[in-house]
Coordinates of all heavy atoms in Angstrom, one line a residue:
Q49 N 22.4 58.2 143.1 CA 21.2 57.6 142.5 C 21.5 56.8 141.3 O 20.8 55.8 141.0 CB 20.2 58.7 142.2 CG 19.9 59.7 143.3 CD 19.4 58.9 144.6 OE1 18.7 58.0 144.6 NE2 19.9 59.4 145.7
L74 N 11.7 55.4 139.1 CA 11.6 56.5 140.0 C 13.0 57.2 140.2 O 13.1 58.4 140.3 CB 11.1 56.1 141.4 CG 9.6 55.8 141.5 CD1 9.2 55.0 142.7 CD2 8.8 57.1 141.4
F75 N 14.0 56.3 140.3 CA 15.4 56.9 140.3 C 15.7 57.7 139.1 O 16.2 58.8 139.2 CB 16.4 55.8 140.6 CG 16.4 55.1 141.9 CD1 16.5 53.8 142.1 CD2 16.3 56.0 143.1 CE1 16.5 53.2 143.3 CE2 16.3 55.3 144.3 CZ 16.4 54.0 144.4
V103 N 10.2 67.5 143.8 CA 9.5 66.4 143.2 C 10.5 65.3 142.9 O 10.2 64.0 143.1 CB 8.6 66.8 141.9 CG1 8.0 65.6 141.3 CG2 7.7 67.9 142.2
G104 N 11.6 65.6 142.4 CA 12.7 64.7 142.1 C 13.2 64.0 143.4 O 13.4 62.8 143.5
G105 N 13.3 64.8 144.5 CA 13.7 64.3 145.8 C 12.7 63.3 146.3 O 13.1 62.3 146.9
L106 N 11.4 63.6 146.1 CA 10.4 62.7 146.5 C 10.5 61.3 145.7 O 10.4 60.2 146.3 CB 9.0 63.3 146.3 CG 7.8 62.4 146.7 CD1 7.8 62.1 148.2 CD2 6.5 63.1 146.4
A107 N 10.8 61.4 144.4 CA 10.9 60.3 143.6 C 12.1 59.4 144.1 O 12.0 58.2 144.1 CB 11.2 60.7 142.1
F108 N 13.2 60.1 144.5 CA 14.4 59.4 145.1 C 13.9 58.6 146.3 O 14.2 57.4 146.5 CB 15.5 60.3 145.5 CG 16.3 60.9 144.3 CD1 16.9 62.1 144.5 CD2 16.4 60.3 143.1 CE1 17.7 62.7 143.5 CE2 17.2 60.8 142.1 CZ 17.8 62.0 142.3
G109 N 13.2 59.3 147.3 CA 12.8 58.6 148.5 C 11.9 57.4 148.2 O 12.2 56.4 148.8
V110 N 10.9 57.6 147.4 CA 10.0 56.5 147.1 C 10.7 55.3 146.3 O 10.5 54.2 146.6 CB 8.7 57.0 146.4 CG1 7.8 55.8 146.0 CG2 8.0 58.0 147.2
G111 N 11.7 55.8 145.5 CA 12.5 54.8 144.8 C 13.3 53.9 145.7 O 13.4 52.7 145.6
W112 N 13.8 54.5 146.8 CA 14.6 53.7 147.8 C 13.6 52.8 148.5 O 14.1 51.6 148.8 CB 15.3 54.6 148.7 CG 16.6 55.2 148.2 CD1 16.8 56.5 147.7 CD2 17.8 54.5 148.0 NE1 18.1 56.6 147.2 CE2 18.7 55.3 147.4 CE3 18.2 53.2 148.2 CZ2 20.0 55.0 147.0 CZ3 19.5 52.8 147.9 CH2 20.4 53.7 147.3
L113 N 12.5 53.2 148.8 CA 11.5 52.3 149.5 C 11.1 51.2 148.6 O 11.0 50.0 149.0 CB 10.2 53.1 149.9 CG 10.4 54.1 151.1 CD1 9.1 54.9 151.3 CD2 10.8 53.4 152.3
A114 N 10.9 51.4 147.3 CA 10.6 50.4 146.4 C 11.8 49.4 146.2 O 11.6 48.2 146.1 CB 10.2 51.0 145.0
L115 N 13.0 50.0 146.2 CA 14.2 49.1 146.1 C 14.3 48.2 147.3 O 14.6 47.0 147.2 CB 15.4 49.9 145.9 CG 16.8 49.1 145.8 CD1 16.7 48.1 144.6 CD2 17.9 50.1 145.6

Side-chain angles (χ1 to χ4, degrees):
Q49 306 309 317
L74 286 166
F75 289 135
V103 177
L106 180 63
F108 287 154
V110 176
W112 281 105
L113 291 174
L115 180 57

